[in-house]
Amino acid sequence: MIPSLLRASSLFKRSFATFTTPLKATMPASLFESKRPASSPEYDPSTLSNYQHFNVLHTDLDYRVDWPKRKLFGTVVYKLTLKANKAPEQVVLDTSFLDIHEAKINGQSVKFNADTERVEPLGNTVTVDLDAAAATAEFDLTLSFNTTDKVTALQWLEPEQTASKKAPYLFSQCQAIHARSLYPCFDTPSVKTPIHTKIASVYPTVASGNVVPAQESQEEYATTDTIYEFQQEIPIPSYLFAIASGDLTSLPIGPRSKVYSEPPNIDACQYEFEADTEKFLEAAESIVFPYEWKTYNVLVLPPSFPYGGMENPNITFATPTLISGDRQNVDVIAHELAHSWSGNLVTNCSWEHFWLNEGWTVYLERRIIGAIHGEAHRHFSAIIGWKDLQTAIEVMSPAVREQYSRLVVHLKERQDPDDAFSSVPYEKGSSLLFHLENVLGGKAVFDPFIPYYFGKFKKRSLDTYQFRDTLYEFFADKKDILDTVDWDTWFYAPGMPPVKLNFDTSLADVCYKLADKWVAAIKAAPAGGADEAYFRGLFSADDIAGWTSTQYVVLLDSLADSTTESAATTAAVRTLGDVYQFASSSNPEVISRWYTLAVPAHLGPATYQALADWLGTVGRMKFVRPGFRLLVKVDRDLAVATFRKHEAFYHPICRSMVAKDLGL
């Protein structure tokens, strides 16, 4: 998943100064060893299920979409066996806001209890009694259920909220612990299972898995419904199950890839992705090993989708903010594609070890970019990511920083994994891997470890302890080097990484130079006489001719970090927006950074209203949350009114997080 990053301010100037946490001195000699569990992978504290007692051999899901009621009616069938030395009397599954109708063991109805008392934020349980016969061999567990209007995994859109305006639309978002509101499950990344899915809907439908050819039989469903069938042969965890249905069509974007979207947008979506998708696939395969999921498809969702992308196997869900017409934001696809190995094939065992998913994915994403565009582009992305990390940590409250700026977080007191979500697992995790690559001797030395690691844990879930053990196992001849890595600080200390990372700044230097020129002009402005005419005499659109949108972002971030409140700054920022046309950009990465500069520069109520209007058109949390944080500082009434006006448009996850940000 691409994170809902907090505001990325400027790239700090060239030095990339070392940040060392003051907590290091208080740590025991080996915090890593003291925290190591008795056996790995570590138990997942974010589930109420008794998953540790069972092997889940296969899952069958069968849904009917009831559009008038805005509900899914379904059954789930698990093929289970007991793990060695386990003899539970019950199966306990996670649920959340589901109505459970019936439970069966091997086709026979059995007693069950759907607990109505919620354990926040983890939801409810459904408990199914096991008889001795069922518990001694492989058995099928079947539950029938329906969703309710409170489920957090689904968003239902009315036709007027879509691009085509012709049909309603629904889509799911299960990460981190929302699958339990879509079907009763062992909702933990520690459980991975092949899934066969049937969905009956009157509208075109996609789901995680490869499409099974249309079946002739429709006897179980209303004749107005079409059955859509998907087979996911590779075991996946519950958070990677996905469904979307609405007015959908598709076009090819590569020999093994399609893009899906609503018909009015399909040509633009095809244009955005068709030049790069197969290149990304081939580059990733050269770094790890061949792609195992057969197809790689992308669904471009309506604007309320809260993330940049979600790596649902065979059907990446993507934000429409990627469709900028200039192919400047397609690196998100490189990220989601990299998840095919890191996260989907090899998975963190719990959300405490989320960095294993996202740190590896960011590392691989940048390796893909480097393979296609050159190492300077890889480093340019890493520079931006480092500053994203620094800014995210800076804006955290002290309590949040202490708890959630660690690489391995603590969720054992029933914390909501969504609250731990930030750029930390992404950027701090990828920084560790970049550091390891360099201290071990560079890409030529580190690269053979990549397929070894993913091959060893393929189709499995692991924790941080297994990762480090595997590193020592593979690099047994470099133990002395690995022993120099400050593992305790990397894994458990809050704050920035404990080392200085050296990046190639060649692509960023031109951005720094222009930013410095603007700052110098502001400082040299005549006292009381600085106006737009003064700055127009010094700058022109030729300054950024040939630049990429990413370089625009770096310029804006640098200025946001380097300017202070003054009349000259206000005049300069207003001029910059007009001369470089940032104020009218159609690229959301650019326009969001523009507001990051313009709002603190006090451009006035018209700018604040423009930001409020823009926030009503995007649902991606990367833009929505920082936008509201900016707006509330200058006009709280406008910020709250804007949120109330558009809260039904936002996805439930986004809605909840923004409400917290605004203190509502």
Side-chain angles (χ1 to χ4, degrees):
M1 179 191 296
I2 289 285
S4 311
L5 297 177
L6 305 176
R7 182 185 71 84
S9 65
S10 105
L11 283 80
F12 56 102
K13 295 288 184 178
R14 299 132 171 115
S15 61
F16 301 101
T18 302
F19 181 101
T20 304
T21 173
L23 296 185
K24 181 183 175 184
T26 67
M27 291 181 177
S30 179
L31 189 60
F32 179 87
E33 292 303 332
S34 71
K35 285 181 172 288
R36 183 192 289 271
S39 62
S40 287
E42 191 172 21
Y43 180 73
D44 181 6
S46 300
T47 175
L48 300 172
S49 73
N50 62 345
Y51 75 92
Q52 70 274 27
H53 295 306
F54 300 97
N55 299 304
V56 185
L57 306 181
H58 195 272
T59 301
D60 282 279
L61 271 168
D62 202 331
Y63 281 114
R64 178 175 60 83
V65 183
D66 190 323
W67 290 97
K69 294 181 179 179
R70 303 184 100 183
K71 293 180 179 180
L72 299 181
F73 288 82
T75 60
V76 59
V77 182
Y78 294 106
K79 192 170 291 294
L80 303 174
T81 61
L82 292 180
K83 290 186 177 179
N85 303 317
K86 303 293 184 181
E89 297 179 353
Q90 299 169 320
V91 181
V92 182
L93 297 172
D94 292 299
T95 71
S96 182
F97 301 118
L98 292 176
D99 291 335
I100 311 297
H101 305 302
E102 186 179 28
K104 296 179 180 180
I105 298 289
N106 294 331
Q108 299 297 314
S109 293
V110 294
K111 182 180 178 182
F112 73 95
N113 177 52
D115 195 348
T116 57
E117 186 169 343
R118 290 182 61 81
V119 178
E120 294 295 351
L122 305 184
N124 311 74
T125 60
V126 57
T127 302
V128 181
D129 290 346
L130 285 178
D131 59 32
T136 58
E138 180 180 298
F139 63 96
D140 289 346
L141 169 64
T142 304
L143 294 107
S144 60
F145 60 91
N146 65 262
T147 61
T148 68
D149 59 1
K150 294 182 179 180
V151 300
T152 55
L154 290 176
Q155 183 166 20
W156 299 80
L157 302 178
E158 297 297 335
E160 56 269 23
Q161 294 175 282
T162 69
S164 67
K165 313 296 183 186
K166 293 181 178 179
Y169 198 112
L170 78 87
F171 66 89
S172 65
Q173 173 56 40
C174 289
Q175 194 178 41
I177 57 170
H178 301 281
R180 62 194 67 179
S181 74
L182 199 54
Y183 63 105
C185 56
F186 299 107
D187 196 6
T188 167
S190 283
V191 172
K192 302 174 79 171
T193 169
I195 299 180
H196 177 263
T197 307
K198 283 185 177 181
I199 303 163
S201 176
V202 296
Y203 301 111
T205 301
V206 294
S208 342
N210 286 295
V211 176
V212 176
Q215 304 296 305
E216 295 181 4
S217 174
Q218 302 263 328
E219 67 256 17
E220 296 180 49
Y221 302 97
T223 55
T224 55
D225 289 342
T226 299
I227 302 174
Y228 298 90
E229 191 170 353
F230 306 88
Q231 182 65 50
Q232 185 51 262
E233 298 172 352
I234 298 175
I236 63 170
S238 54
Y239 78 87
L240 289 178
F241 178 75
I243 177 177
S245 188
D247 185 17
L248 300 178
T249 188
S250 66
L251 285 174
I253 53 173
R256 43 185 162 171
S257 303
K258 294 180 180 179
V259 64
Y260 292 80
S261 81
E262 295 178 81
N265 301 328
I266 191 64
D267 291 331
C269 294
Q270 182 187 46
Y271 172 80
E272 205 74 28
F273 299 137
E274 64 181 350
D276 296 289
T277 301
E278 184 63 20
K279 291 179 183 177
F280 290 159
L281 270 164
E282 292 173 353
E285 289 177 319
S286 70
I287 296 165
V288 194
F289 48 64
Y291 183 77
E292 299 194 6
W293 304 82
K294 296 182 180 178
T295 63
Y296 178 77
N297 304 313
V298 179
L299 169 65
V300 178
L301 286 154
S304 59
F305 182 58
Y307 299 108
M310 180 63 209
E311 62 272 17
N312 306 309
N314 304 110
I315 190 71
T316 283
F317 282 11
T319 171
T321 61
L322 303 186
I323 313 304
S324 54
D326 55 10
R327 294 175 173 166
Q328 293 286 302
N329 298 319
V330 294
D331 288 1
V332 170
I333 299 302
H335 180 94
E336 304 308 332
L337 173 62
H339 267 303
S340 302
W341 291 268
S342 52
N344 296 8
L345 203 59
V346 176
T347 309
N348 50 229
C349 70
S350 78
W351 305 111
E352 294 184 307
H353 301 274
F354 187 42
W355 82 270
L356 288 169
N357 275 20
E358 296 297 352
W360 264 111
T361 298
V362 172
Y363 176 83
L364 291 177
E365 168 200 345
R366 290 177 181 150
R367 289 296 306 273
I368 293 169
I369 298 306
I372 294 174
H373 300 296
E375 279 293 289
H377 287 270
R378 177 196 179 197
H379 283 246
F380 189 43
S381 179
I383 290 169
I384 297 171
W386 181 276
K387 187 53 189 175
D388 284 344
L389 174 63
Q390 186 183 58
T391 303
I393 292 173
E394 286 174 353
V395 302
M396 290 177 176
S397 69
V400 171
R401 186 182 305 119
E402 172 68 23
Q403 188 169 10
Y404 294 138
S405 68
R406 305 165 187 262
L407 207 51
V408 180
V409 298
H410 180 84
L411 300 174
K412 292 180 173 58
E413 274 72 55
R414 293 176 174 167
Q415 297 93 330
D416 189 341
D418 283 345
D419 289 343
F421 191 76
S422 75
S423 65
V424 170
Y426 296 75
E427 296 298 343
K428 198 170 185 177
S430 64
S431 294
L432 172 58
L433 294 167
F434 183 83
H435 176 58
L436 291 171
E437 173 196 312
N438 283 279
V439 299
L440 288 165
K443 289 193 301 181
V445 177
F446 189 70
D447 278 9
F449 174 70
I450 298 174
Y452 178 82
Y453 167 78
F454 286 103
K456 178 178 179 178
F457 292 104
K458 182 168 67 173
K459 301 180 183 180
R460 295 167 57 192
S461 302
L462 80 157
D463 61 24
T464 299
Y465 313 100
Q466 291 168 292
F467 161 77
R468 199 190 79 147
D469 289 348
T470 302
L471 197 67
Y472 272 83
E473 171 189 298
F474 186 83
F475 291 109
D477 60 332
K478 296 183 180 296
K479 180 180 182 300
D480 291 346
I481 295 176
L482 290 173
D483 284 346
T484 67
V485 177
D486 189 351
W487 298 105
D488 287 350
T489 302
W490 271 106
F491 289 145
Y492 307 116
M496 291 292 287
V499 299
K500 177 181 178 179
L501 301 181
N502 295 313
F503 300 118
D504 174 355
T505 64
S506 57
L507 291 176
D509 286 340
V510 64
C511 311
Y512 299 146
K513 184 177 180 180
L514 183 57
D516 287 344
K517 183 179 177 182
W518 276 95
V519 172
I522 292 171
K523 291 179 178 179
D531 57 19
E532 294 180 43
Y534 165 77
F535 291 104
R536 286 182 182 275
L538 299 173
F539 300 95
S540 74
D542 292 339
D543 299 338
I544 59 172
W547 281 27
T548 65
S549 62
T550 310
Q551 288 175 305
Y552 299 161
V553 165
V554 173
L555 171 65
L556 289 165
D557 282 350
S558 294
L559 288 169
D561 197 50
S562 303
T563 53
T564 57
E565 292 184 23
S566 69
T569 296
T570 301
V573 172
R574 182 173 285 111
T575 305
L576 179 143
D578 292 339
V579 170
Y580 299 155
Q581 298 185 338
F582 290 153
S584 58
S585 173
S586 61
N587 189 315
E589 296 286 351
V590 175
I591 194 66
S592 66
R593 277 4 187 270
W594 161 248
Y595 286 123
T596 296
L597 178 64
V599 171
H602 300 290
L603 263 58
T607 297
Y608 309 153
Q609 185 61 56
L611 171 58
D613 293 342
W614 185 67
L615 289 172
T617 68
V618 293
R620 186 178 175 185
M621 288 195 292
K622 177 182 180 180
F623 305 132
V624 174
R625 294 185 68 192
F628 273 107
R629 289 195 185 104
L630 284 171
L631 194 57
V632 76
K633 289 180 180 179
V634 294
D635 191 333
R636 177 171 178 80
D637 289 343
L638 178 59
V640 172
T642 300
F643 174 68
R644 293 304 186 197
K645 179 180 180 180
H646 300 292
E647 63 180 318
F649 161 74
Y650 297 129
H651 187 276
I653 298 172
C654 178
R655 190 184 312 142
S656 172
M657 300 307 290
V658 173
K660 291 179 182 179
D661 293 337
L662 296 178
L664 301 177

